[in-house]
């Protein structure tokens, strides 16, 4: 039996599963023999992935289409997970927009707050309580390397990822004696639908495959990881050794260049 099945049981719930890191989590968990509940907004993409994974790996795959920006999204997911022992929760849904906070649409910013912060809080509380009753489970939060520093032009996005970083680290401590493993993953730029939504270039992005491989290897052994040695060196070095006012300028310049390159490709 695969290590993940022994530790967390046979069912995993993955949000943001229609593309990018979420879809890769679904793929690698299916390879491990885990049955899946996949959630995202795009029902057609979810069903396509579900059919592919079920055929390739002989696992059960259910879909739970849901818009995590909506107040009652949890009901859509609970209807599908009712009666299932969800032993592993992967909070992967998230998005950003690029630009100054005051120029961005406030409803989009609120949707980002709900998807990036409220949804993982609600899901982790809901399914975490069930895991605690069983004395077994795992929860993954997807933060970002920008969780380590404010990032102008991604001001709110960076704040939402700092939220995920903090809640993941704190929850890992609270649950360390409860049979529940909590891991916070802090990827750098990763090839996914994120860049298109954020309006930036995907130059220099990492494949989601090693990001997920690193996370699944670390789950149950560590509480925080930054996939990719270059990301660890760059962002830990920046956050530790470069003064804050200079760091803000570096982030701002990098994000503006990515935005410019993204616009030039359209």
């Amino acid at each position: 039996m695969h290590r993940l099945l022994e530790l967390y049981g046979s069912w995993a719930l993955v949000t943001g599963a229609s593309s990018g890191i979420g879809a890769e989590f679904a793929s690698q968990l299916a390879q491990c023999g885990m049955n899946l509940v996949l959630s995202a907004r795009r029902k057609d993409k979810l069903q396509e992935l579900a059919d592919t994974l079920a055929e390739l790996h002989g696992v059960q795959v259910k879909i739970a289409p849901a818009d995590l920006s909506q107040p009652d999204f949890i009901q859509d997911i609970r209807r599908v997970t009712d009666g299932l022992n969800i032993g592993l929760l992967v909070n992967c849904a998230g998005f950003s927009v690029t630009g100054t906070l005051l120029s961005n649409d406030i409803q989009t910013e609120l949707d980002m707050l709900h998807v990036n912060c409220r949804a993982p809080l609600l899901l982790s509380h809901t399914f975490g309580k069930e895991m605690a009753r069983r004395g077994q489970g795992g929860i993954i939060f997807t933060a970002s390397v920008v969780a380590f520093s404010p990032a102008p032009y991604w001001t709110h996005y960076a704040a939402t990822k700092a939220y995920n970083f903090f809640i993941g680290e704190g929850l890992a401590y609270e649950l360390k004696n409860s049979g529940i493993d909590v891991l916070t993953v802090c990827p750098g730029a990763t090839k996914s639908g994120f860049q298109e939504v954020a309006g930036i270039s995907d130059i220099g992005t990492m494949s989601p495959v090693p990001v997920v491989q690193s996370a699944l290897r670390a789950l149950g052994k560590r509480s925080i990881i930054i996939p990719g040695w270059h990301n660890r060196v760059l962002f830990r070095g920046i956050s530790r050794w470069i003064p804050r006012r200079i760091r803000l300028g570096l982030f701002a310049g990098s994000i503006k260049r990515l935005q410019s390159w993204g616009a030039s490709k359209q």
Side-chain angles (χ1 to χ4, degrees), residues 50-124:
D51 293 342
T52 299
L53 295 179
E55 183 177 353
L56 282 176
H57 305 294
V59 296
Q60 298 181 62
V61 187
K62 300 177 181 290
I63 65 169
D67 183 347
L68 272 60
S69 69
Q70 297 304 303
D72 58 352
F73 81 87
I74 194 72
Q75 297 175 19
D76 296 325
I77 294 178
R78 291 296 279 164
R79 276 192 288 269
V80 179
T81 61
D82 186 42
L84 303 177
N85 288 333
I86 300 298
L88 178 60
L89 167 64
V90 183
N91 291 300
C92 221
F95 74 95
S96 178
V97 291
T98 304
T100 62
L101 181 64
L102 297 186
S103 66
N104 290 341
D105 174 65
I106 187 57
Q107 187 57 55
T108 303
E109 297 289 347
L110 288 171
D111 288 346
M112 188 195 307
L113 180 66
H114 293 157
V115 173
N116 294 12
C117 299
R118 179 180 179 270
L121 168 65
L122 186 53
L123 288 163
S124 299

Side-chain angles (χ1 to χ4, degrees), residues 116-140:
N116 294 12
C117 299
R118 179 180 179 270
L121 168 65
L122 186 53
L123 288 163
S124 299
H125 190 270
T126 299
F127 291 101
K129 289 181 75 171
E130 296 178 2
M131 295 174 192
R133 283 195 291 270
R134 297 193 299 269
Q136 180 187 48
I139 301 173
I140 295 176

Side-chain angles (χ1 to χ4, degrees), residues 189-237:
T190 305
K191 181 72 174 178
S192 67
F194 173 88
Q195 288 80 23
E196 182 178 355
V197 174
I200 60 172
S201 169
D202 60 4
I203 292 174
T205 53
M206 203 176 160
S207 165
V209 174
V211 172
V212 174
Q213 287 173 338
S214 298
L216 294 181
R217 281 196 300 265
L219 184 61
K221 302 172 184 175
R222 300 173 60 185
S223 60
I224 299 167
I225 63 163
I226 303 175
W229 67 267
H230 57 296
N231 289 323
R232 290 192 291 274
V233 171
L234 178 61
F235 286 92
R236 282 183 173 165

Side-chain angles (χ1 to χ4, degrees), residues 137-246:
I139 301 173
I140 295 176
F141 291 92
T142 306
S144 167
V145 289
V146 299
F148 296 101
S149 175
Y153 308 112
W154 279 352
T155 295
H156 186 207
Y157 173 71
T160 68
K161 289 304 173 180
Y163 175 91
N164 279 265
F165 182 86
F166 274 49
I167 195 173
E169 188 173 17
L171 196 58
Y173 187 91
E174 292 179 0
L175 297 178
K176 65 182 180 179
N177 297 319
S178 302
I180 302 173
D181 300 318
V182 181
L183 174 69
T184 303
V185 185
C186 301
T190 305
K191 181 72 174 178
S192 67
F194 173 88
Q195 288 80 23
E196 182 178 355
V197 174
I200 60 172
S201 169
D202 60 4
I203 292 174
T205 53
M206 203 176 160
S207 165
V209 174
V211 172
V212 174
Q213 287 173 338
S214 298
L216 294 181
R217 281 196 300 265
L219 184 61
K221 302 172 184 175
R222 300 173 60 185
S223 60
I224 299 167
I225 63 163
I226 303 175
W229 67 267
H230 57 296
N231 289 323
R232 290 192 291 274
V233 171
L234 178 61
F235 286 92
R236 282 183 173 165
I238 286 175
S239 63
R240 288 178 181 175
W241 304 114
I242 296 180
R244 204 171 189 85
R245 60 183 178 81
I246 297 176

